[in-house]
Amino acid sequence: MSAGTQCDNCRVFGPQHAPGWFYLGQQPGEEAVPSVLSALFGRPSEPLTFCTVKCLADWAYVHAMTGEAAGTEPS
């Protein structure tokens, strides 16, 4: 049972759909093979949730420095 939302960075709890919080949807990887059901209904994925801009920036920084960031940088 979920009584609210938890920040994915600092683990603080807040009310469900708290105003001012950031929700980032996750895209499935390119290697995922689409199926008929996923084409019709999409792939459900829990969004990443952050309570402040600082938490979002800290999370993004750690993922960038540990090599977990996706994509390439333009030269």
Side-chain angles (χ1 to χ4, degrees), residues 24-28 42-48:
L24 298 179
Q26 301 179 54
Q27 261 185 319
R43 292 176 183 243
S45 180
E46 289 293 320
L48 295 172

Side-chain angles (χ1 to χ4, degrees), residues 4-7 11-15 21:
T5 304
Q6 185 177 19
C7 180
R11 302 294 184 210
V12 70
F13 283 96
W21 284 42

Side-chain angles (χ1 to χ4, degrees), residues 40-74:
L40 291 174
F41 300 109
R43 292 176 183 243
S45 180
E46 289 293 320
L48 295 172
T49 306
F50 301 96
C51 62
T52 63
V53 172
K54 182 177 179 343
C55 277
L56 175 58
D58 291 345
W59 176 85
Y61 177 79
V62 168
H63 280 273
M65 292 298 113
T66 58
E68 296 181 31
T72 58
E73 293 184 16

Side-chain angles (χ1 to χ4, degrees), residues 4-42:
T5 304
Q6 185 177 19
C7 180
D8 284 315
N9 187 57
C10 70
R11 302 294 184 210
V12 70
F13 283 96
Q16 188 72 23
H17 303 293
W21 284 42
F22 298 93
Y23 300 93
L24 298 179
Q26 301 179 54
Q27 261 185 319
E30 291 180 16
E31 68 278 354
V33 178
S35 69
V36 174
L37 290 178
S38 67
L40 291 174
F41 300 109

